Amino acid sequence: MLTTPHPPPPPPPLPSSSTLSLSLSLSPSLSPSSSSSSSPLFLYPLSLSPSSSSSSLGSSAADLGHLPDNITVLEGESVVLSCKIDEGVTHKAWLNRSNILFTGLDKWSLDKRVSLVNSNSSHFSIQIDQVHVADEGPYTCSFQANNKPRSTHVYLIVQVPARIVNVSRDVSVNEGDNVNLFCLAVGRPEPTVTWKDQKFGLVSEGEFLDITEIRRQQGEDFECITNNGVAPPARHKVKVTVNYAPSITEVKNTPAQLGKMTVLRCEAMAVPSAAFEWYRDERRPVEGDNTLSIKNDKTRSLLIFNNVTEKHFGNYTCLAYNRLGASNASMLLFRPGAVYGRGTVHHVGGFSVGVAAVITFSISLLSI
C-alpha cells in the first residue's frame, strides 16, 4: 500500500455516483508486449448503486462502461492510471484506499515511485514505477464538475511469475529405500507444481513426490515444474542416484587355439561401479604369468591371454564387488574337442559350446 504523510483535512466526502472514464497504460519501455503507450479500459464504478449506474456528467466526462474491469500489471513494471476529463472539472484527486496520492498538482504521497503524468483539461493521470505486490488494491479518481463531486474506482492486480523458492537437493540412496522429494514455489496467482519423470515421462501433481522402495531402474533426474500462466514455467531438476550391489550380466565359455590370443569377458552392472578380480583355483591367475593381462572399465573386465598354452585351459572365476556386496561367475576356457570332466566340447552350427560346462552365479556380501 502506498503511504502518505499526515496531510491537512481532505476535501469534503465525494458521492459514489460517477460516469468518469478511466484508462490504464503500461510503460512501453517496460512492457515489450504492449502495442501502444495506453490501453483504454471500460471501468466499473464500484461505489455506484444500481439506481445511479446510468447517471451522467453531461459535458464533464465520457460515459463509463457497465462491466467491471480490473487492471493487471506484472511486478516491477510501470503502470499509468488516467482520468479522462474536460474543462468543466474544477477539483481532482487520486487516492489509494483512504490515502490521498495527488490533489491537482500537489503530491501528498511520500512514495518516490508515484508521479504525476498529466494534469490538464482533458486528462488527470498518475504513474507508479516498479510496481510492488503491496500496491495491489483499489484506486479512486475523484473530481468536482459543475459543483458536483464525483468519483470512480479501479482495482489494480499485481502478478508475480511463479518461481521455485525451496527444492530438494540431489540425493543418493540404496535400492529399496524410500525417497521423498519436495519443491516449494510462490507467485501471484498461486502457481501449480508438477513433478516429471524424465526417463518415462510420468507426471505427479503437487509439491511432494514420494517413491516407496525405489528400484535401480528409477535412478534418474526428476524435474519440478511450476507455472501460474504469468511467465514461462520455472524448472529445476533433482538427480536421484540409486546404489546397488553388482550383478554380473554376461559371461560365456570361450574356445581357444594354442598359440593364439583369447579374451574372457565379465560384465557387471553396479552403482557405484564395481571393482573386478579374476581367480583360478582360488588364486589370481595373472600372478607370475606375463602372458596374461587384465583390462577393467566401469562395467566390464577382460582377462586377456596373449599366447594360449596348455596350462591356460580350465575354469576361471570373475568377482565383481562394491561397498554394497559382490557377485561372482565362473566360465570355461577350453580347447575344441577336448574332454573336461564328464563333458565334451562340441561344435554346433559353427559355434563352440561346452556340454558339461555350467556357468554358475552366486552373490555373497563382502565386509568392505
Side-chain angles (χ1 to χ4, degrees), residues 11 55 66 99 107 115 125 142 211 214 231 253 272-273 279 304 343 351:
S55 62
H66 299 290
N99 300 310
K107 182 177 180 180
S115 60
S125 308
S142 296
I211 305 173
I214 193 168
N253 296 336
S273 298
Y279 292 89
I304 303 171
F351 181 74

Side-chain angles (χ1 to χ4, degrees), residues 45-337:
L46 301 180
S47 61
L48 290 182
S49 63
S51 61
S52 62
S53 61
S54 60
S55 62
S56 173
L57 293 178
S59 62
S60 65
D63 289 338
L64 283 173
H66 299 290
L67 296 176
D69 271 315
N70 298 324
I71 297 176
T72 301
V73 62
L74 285 179
E75 183 183 40
E77 289 187 343
S78 293
V79 63
V80 173
L81 305 179
S82 179
C83 276
K84 189 175 181 181
I85 58 177
D86 66 13
E87 296 178 354
V89 174
T90 56
H91 297 85
K92 50 196 174 183
W94 269 106
L95 300 88
N96 171 225
R97 296 183 175 87
S98 60
N99 300 310
I100 300 175
L101 305 178
F102 272 92
T103 57
L105 299 176
D106 297 327
K107 182 177 180 180
W108 288 32
S109 172
L110 293 177
D111 197 320
K112 296 179 180 180
R113 299 176 302 120
V114 182
S115 60
L116 187 64
V117 179
N118 283 314
S119 182
N120 51 43
S121 60
S122 60
H123 288 87
F124 180 42
S125 308
I126 62 171
Q127 178 169 313
I128 305 172
D129 294 323
Q130 298 178 348
V131 173
H132 299 164
V133 171
D135 298 330
E136 182 169 296
Y139 289 77
T140 303
C141 178
S142 296
F143 70 99
Q144 184 169 304
N146 301 327
N147 295 321
K148 294 182 179 180
R150 306 193 183 278
S151 64
T152 190
H153 307 258
V154 65
Y155 196 93
L156 183 65
I157 298 174
V158 181
Q159 292 188 335
V160 181
R163 63 186 179 92
I164 298 171
V165 294
N166 197 2
V167 64
S168 296
R169 296 182 178 180
D170 294 347
V171 295
S172 178
V173 298
N174 294 338
E175 187 173 32
D177 288 350
N178 295 334
V179 176
N180 308 106
L181 304 180
F182 66 88
C183 180
L184 306 181
V186 296
R188 295 170 67 93
E190 187 76 18
T192 61
V193 177
T194 302
W195 281 98
K196 185 177 180 181
D197 177 333
Q198 291 293 292
K199 183 180 294 184
F200 303 106
L202 303 178
V203 173
S204 177
E205 301 292 339
E207 297 174 331
F208 300 95
L209 177 64
D210 299 322
I211 305 173
T212 304
E213 296 182 355
I214 193 168
R215 311 311 301 169
R216 64 188 67 181
Q217 296 84 359
Q218 295 174 289
E220 57 166 308
D221 288 342
F222 292 86
E223 185 177 32
C224 170
I225 306 170
T226 180
N227 186 27
N228 64 354
V230 175
R235 301 170 181 268
H236 185 89
K237 291 182 180 179
V238 177
K239 183 177 181 61
V240 177
T241 301
V242 181
N243 304 306
Y244 56 93
S247 174
I248 296 178
T249 58
E250 182 178 347
V251 293
K252 65 179 180 179
N253 296 336
T254 303
Q257 299 289 338
L258 291 173
K260 303 293 185 179
M261 187 187 77
T262 303
V263 177
L264 291 180
R265 293 174 172 81
C266 178
E267 296 191 9
M269 301 301 297
V271 177
S273 298
F276 293 91
E277 291 181 3
W278 286 90
Y279 292 89
R280 182 182 183 186
D281 300 329
E282 298 182 357
R283 67 178 180 85
R284 298 182 181 180
V286 296
E287 295 176 357
D289 190 341
N290 57 10
T291 65
L292 298 181
S293 62
I294 297 176
K295 183 179 180 180
N296 294 333
D297 59 26
K298 291 183 177 181
T299 62
R300 183 177 65 175
S301 179
L302 305 178
L303 178 58
I304 303 171
F305 300 82
N306 298 305
N307 184 10
V308 176
T309 64
E310 192 69 39
K311 69 175 182 178
H312 290 141
F313 294 121
N315 194 62
Y316 292 83
T317 300
C318 170
L319 174 67
Y321 62 92
N322 65 10
R323 60 181 176 81
L324 296 175
S327 177
N328 64 75
S330 295
M331 63 201 77
L332 192 64
L333 182 70
F334 63 91
R335 183 171 60 185

Side-chain angles (χ1 to χ4, degrees), residues 25-32 34 36-37 77-80 127 129:
S25 66
L26 296 178
S27 170
S29 62
L30 293 175
S31 181
S34 300
S36 63
S37 61
E77 289 187 343
S78 293
V79 63
V80 173
Q127 178 169 313
D129 294 323

